[in-house]
Amino acid sequence: MTTIDEFASTKLASLEDKGLRRALKGTDRYDDTAVRRNRREMISFCCNDYLNLSHHPDVIAAAHTATDRYGTGSGGSRLISGNTPLYEFLESGLAAFKGTEAALVFGSGYLTNIGVIPCFAGPEDLIIADELNHACLFAGSRLSGATMLTYKHGDAAACEALLQEHRAKARHCLIITDGLFSMDGDIAPIAALSELAHQFDAWLMVDDAHGLGTVGAGRGSVQACQPPYRVALQMGTLSKSAGAYGGYLCASQAVIDLVTNRARSFVYSTGLPPATLAAAIAAIDIMATETEICFVPLNNAAYFCDKLGLPTPESPIVPLIVGDADTVMTASQGLEERGFLVTGIRPPTVPEDTARLRFTFTVEHSIDDIDRLIDALRDMKLV
Ligand SMILES: *Cc1c(COP(=O)(O)O)cnc(C)c1O
């Protein structure tokens, strides 16, 4: 007989051996880019709060006001009693910002993907996915019961080859990609994938968790395409650039109405707290009206890459691949000692032997902050 604790301990020891055991560390984000960990004050270059809106006075004020007016919790799922009037403001704001007919807000981005994908794919259907898609897109695809095939990262020709070979055997087909890849910072070939979807009678889904607020004048990677392409399912999160929490789907009214009825992670999960919704409304409003801030994170990343002779970035996410898990954790520790929080990213989040430092740049990073980061990296012989 094996007790559950013995089982857990054995699994943990095996992770430890491979340098892959993770642990939570208390992180006090007390200002735009400032963090405190183990009493050490640092500048964070690893938050996804690209516009620093989680600390914006108007966003904070909106959250306070909503809490005073509506309380701290929504009290139920949205189809029962949790649909506060704030949802209507947020969803119409999102649809207008993204240029779609309608939008639906979920509890998180993860819940959006695992809820939406099974609404449009089942056991008779085919899902064709970029191999580096986010974990929750894979989770949603598996839940759907559809056949799932992956193509080489960013390679529309490889996607086409799969469509040619397998499309005819399936009833419906979904092509799924991150818009802006979270661990690599590059943008998917959305125009080419959209053409393929059209040509092969497939539906394209783009996960733009990192694209909102950072590319396409803040409207995202689909909106960055010229000319604009129609993407049937555009999802994203309110937890990154919007500085709040929650996920969303932007799509046609018919699609949104079906998802409202059928997505299990929507129907059977409680509505978001009013403060979170109000913060997201304020954040989207800032993106739409002070659009110039949406260009700053990418400009900061470009300054960093230019000074280091790295390829010109497509987004505010810059990976520096260092190899194995131990090396990246040592590098991350060295940066902490020099006053910079840059988490090491290890498998299984990224493929074997591509452990990396993942830098993210935000509006409030100064040129001086970036110069000091570069000095630290040179000092540690990482660049
Ligand atoms: C963060 C992320 C998600 C999940 O969003 P949450 O709101 O944090 O659950 C989904 N897809 C991608 C690409 C992400 O980076």
Short mmCIF file of all heavy atoms in Angstrom, two decimals, residues 48 108-111 113 134 136-137 178 180 182 207 209-210 235 237-240 245-247, ligand 1:
data_model
loop_
_atom_site.label_atom_id
_atom_site.label_comp_id
_atom_site.label_asym_id
_atom_site.label_seq_id
_atom_site.Cartn_x
_atom_site.Cartn_y
_atom_site.Cartn_z
N ASN A 48 3.31 40.78 -16.13
CA ASN A 48 2.54 40.92 -17.37
C ASN A 48 1.64 42.16 -17.34
O ASN A 48 0.78 42.32 -18.20
CB ASN A 48 1.67 39.69 -17.59
CG ASN A 48 2.49 38.43 -17.75
OD1 ASN A 48 3.56 38.47 -18.35
ND2 ASN A 48 2.01 37.33 -17.21
N SER A 108 -11.74 33.65 -15.84
CA SER A 108 -10.32 33.85 -16.12
C SER A 108 -10.06 33.46 -17.57
O SER A 108 -10.95 32.91 -18.23
CB SER A 108 -9.44 32.99 -15.20
OG SER A 108 -9.54 31.62 -15.58
N GLY A 109 -8.85 33.72 -18.03
CA GLY A 109 -8.49 33.31 -19.38
C GLY A 109 -8.49 31.79 -19.51
O GLY A 109 -8.94 31.24 -20.52
N TYR A 110 -7.99 31.12 -18.49
CA TYR A 110 -7.96 29.66 -18.49
C TYR A 110 -9.40 29.11 -18.62
O TYR A 110 -9.68 28.24 -19.45
CB TYR A 110 -7.31 29.17 -17.20
CG TYR A 110 -6.81 27.74 -17.25
CD1 TYR A 110 -5.45 27.46 -17.21
CD2 TYR A 110 -7.69 26.66 -17.30
CE1 TYR A 110 -4.98 26.15 -17.24
CE2 TYR A 110 -7.24 25.35 -17.33
CZ TYR A 110 -5.88 25.10 -17.30
OH TYR A 110 -5.42 23.80 -17.34
N LEU A 111 -10.30 29.67 -17.82
CA LEU A 111 -11.70 29.22 -17.88
C LEU A 111 -12.32 29.52 -19.24
O LEU A 111 -13.19 28.78 -19.72
CB LEU A 111 -12.51 29.88 -16.77
CG LEU A 111 -12.21 29.39 -15.35
CD1 LEU A 111 -12.92 30.26 -14.32
CD2 LEU A 111 -12.63 27.93 -15.18
N ASN A 113 -10.76 29.51 -22.22
CA ASN A 113 -10.32 28.52 -23.21
C ASN A 113 -10.92 27.14 -22.97
O ASN A 113 -11.35 26.48 -23.91
CB ASN A 113 -8.79 28.45 -23.23
CG ASN A 113 -8.21 29.61 -24.02
OD1 ASN A 113 -8.86 30.16 -24.91
ND2 ASN A 113 -6.99 30.00 -23.70
N HIS A 134 -0.45 28.09 -25.53
CA HIS A 134 -0.54 28.11 -24.06
C HIS A 134 -1.20 26.83 -23.54
O HIS A 134 -2.10 26.26 -24.18
CB HIS A 134 -1.37 29.33 -23.64
CG HIS A 134 -1.29 29.61 -22.17
ND1 HIS A 134 -2.20 29.10 -21.28
CD2 HIS A 134 -0.41 30.33 -21.46
CE1 HIS A 134 -1.88 29.51 -20.06
NE2 HIS A 134 -0.79 30.27 -20.15
N CYS A 136 -3.48 26.19 -21.47
CA CYS A 136 -4.94 26.08 -21.32
C CYS A 136 -5.64 25.88 -22.66
O CYS A 136 -6.77 25.39 -22.70
CB CYS A 136 -5.53 27.23 -20.51
SG CYS A 136 -5.27 28.87 -21.14
N LEU A 137 -4.97 26.23 -23.77
CA LEU A 137 -5.54 25.89 -25.08
C LEU A 137 -5.47 24.38 -25.29
O LEU A 137 -6.39 23.77 -25.84
CB LEU A 137 -4.79 26.61 -26.20
CG LEU A 137 -5.00 28.13 -26.27
CD1 LEU A 137 -4.02 28.77 -27.25
CD2 LEU A 137 -6.43 28.47 -26.66
N ASP A 178 -1.92 31.01 -30.24
CA ASP A 178 -1.69 32.23 -29.47
C ASP A 178 -1.54 33.35 -30.49
O ASP A 178 -0.97 33.13 -31.56
CB ASP A 178 -0.36 32.14 -28.69
CG ASP A 178 -0.43 31.36 -27.39
OD1 ASP A 178 -1.31 30.49 -27.25
OD2 ASP A 178 0.42 31.62 -26.52
N LEU A 180 0.00 36.42 -29.63
CA LEU A 180 1.35 36.82 -29.25
C LEU A 180 1.82 35.75 -28.27
O LEU A 180 1.19 35.55 -27.23
CB LEU A 180 1.24 38.19 -28.57
CG LEU A 180 2.48 39.05 -28.45
CD1 LEU A 180 2.09 40.39 -27.87
CD2 LEU A 180 3.55 38.43 -27.62
N SER A 182 3.40 33.76 -25.42
CA SER A 182 3.71 34.26 -24.08
C SER A 182 5.15 34.05 -23.67
O SER A 182 5.68 34.81 -22.87
CB SER A 182 2.78 33.61 -23.07
OG SER A 182 2.82 32.21 -23.17
N ASP A 207 -5.75 33.30 -29.27
CA ASP A 207 -5.63 33.63 -27.84
C ASP A 207 -4.68 34.82 -27.73
O ASP A 207 -3.48 34.68 -27.94
CB ASP A 207 -5.08 32.41 -27.10
CG ASP A 207 -4.79 32.69 -25.62
OD1 ASP A 207 -4.62 33.87 -25.26
OD2 ASP A 207 -4.71 31.72 -24.84
N ALA A 209 -3.97 36.79 -25.05
CA ALA A 209 -3.77 37.19 -23.65
C ALA A 209 -2.71 38.29 -23.51
O ALA A 209 -2.87 39.21 -22.72
CB ALA A 209 -3.37 35.97 -22.82
N HIS A 210 -1.61 38.18 -24.29
CA HIS A 210 -0.54 39.16 -24.17
C HIS A 210 -0.64 40.29 -25.19
O HIS A 210 0.11 41.25 -25.12
CB HIS A 210 0.83 38.49 -24.28
CG HIS A 210 1.10 37.56 -23.15
ND1 HIS A 210 1.71 37.98 -21.98
CD2 HIS A 210 0.80 36.25 -22.98
CE1 HIS A 210 1.79 36.95 -21.15
NE2 HIS A 210 1.24 35.89 -21.72
N MET A 235 -10.02 35.42 -28.10
CA MET A 235 -10.10 35.45 -26.64
C MET A 235 -8.91 36.18 -26.07
O MET A 235 -7.92 36.44 -26.74
CB MET A 235 -10.27 34.05 -26.04
CG MET A 235 -9.07 33.12 -26.04
SD MET A 235 -7.74 33.53 -24.89
CE MET A 235 -8.57 33.38 -23.30
N THR A 237 -7.33 37.94 -21.94
CA THR A 237 -7.48 37.99 -20.49
C THR A 237 -7.48 39.44 -20.01
O THR A 237 -6.92 40.32 -20.66
CB THR A 237 -6.34 37.20 -19.80
OG1 THR A 237 -6.51 37.32 -18.38
CG2 THR A 237 -4.97 37.73 -20.17
N LEU A 238 -8.12 39.64 -18.87
CA LEU A 238 -8.14 40.97 -18.24
C LEU A 238 -7.09 41.03 -17.13
O LEU A 238 -7.04 41.99 -16.37
CB LEU A 238 -9.54 41.24 -17.69
CG LEU A 238 -10.63 41.21 -18.78
CD1 LEU A 238 -12.02 41.12 -18.18
CD2 LEU A 238 -10.51 42.44 -19.67
N SER A 239 -6.27 39.95 -17.03
CA SER A 239 -5.33 39.86 -15.91
C SER A 239 -3.93 40.33 -16.27
O SER A 239 -3.05 40.37 -15.42
CB SER A 239 -5.25 38.40 -15.44
OG SER A 239 -4.71 37.60 -16.47
N LYS A 240 -3.70 40.69 -17.53
CA LYS A 240 -2.36 41.13 -17.91
C LYS A 240 -2.38 42.65 -18.11
O LYS A 240 -2.42 43.38 -17.12
CB LYS A 240 -1.88 40.31 -19.10
CG LYS A 240 -1.57 38.89 -18.57
CD LYS A 240 -1.39 37.81 -19.56
CE LYS A 240 -1.18 36.50 -18.79
NZ LYS A 240 -1.42 35.30 -19.58
N TYR A 245 -8.60 41.05 -13.54
CA TYR A 245 -8.71 39.60 -13.59
C TYR A 245 -9.93 39.23 -14.43
O TYR A 245 -10.86 40.03 -14.57
CB TYR A 245 -8.85 39.01 -12.17
CG TYR A 245 -8.48 37.54 -12.13
CD1 TYR A 245 -7.16 37.15 -12.30
CD2 TYR A 245 -9.45 36.56 -11.96
CE1 TYR A 245 -6.81 35.81 -12.31
CE2 TYR A 245 -9.10 35.21 -11.96
CZ TYR A 245 -7.78 34.85 -12.13
OH TYR A 245 -7.43 33.52 -12.15
N GLY A 246 -9.91 38.02 -14.98
CA GLY A 246 -11.03 37.58 -15.81
C GLY A 246 -10.57 37.31 -17.22
O GLY A 246 -9.49 37.76 -17.63
N GLY A 247 -11.38 36.54 -17.96
CA GLY A 247 -11.05 36.28 -19.37
C GLY A 247 -12.20 36.76 -20.23
O GLY A 247 -13.29 37.06 -19.72
C1 LIG B 1 -2.06 34.01 -19.13
C2 LIG B 1 -2.57 33.30 -20.31
C3 LIG B 1 -3.81 32.67 -20.30
C4 LIG B 1 -4.62 32.50 -19.04
O1 LIG B 1 -5.21 33.69 -18.64
P1 LIG B 1 -5.61 33.85 -17.09
O2 LIG B 1 -6.57 34.98 -17.12
O3 LIG B 1 -4.34 34.16 -16.38
O4 LIG B 1 -6.23 32.57 -16.66
C5 LIG B 1 -4.28 32.13 -21.47
N1 LIG B 1 -3.56 32.16 -22.61
C6 LIG B 1 -2.35 32.75 -22.65
C7 LIG B 1 -1.61 32.78 -23.94
C8 LIG B 1 -1.81 33.32 -21.51
O5 LIG B 1 -0.61 33.87 -21.55
#
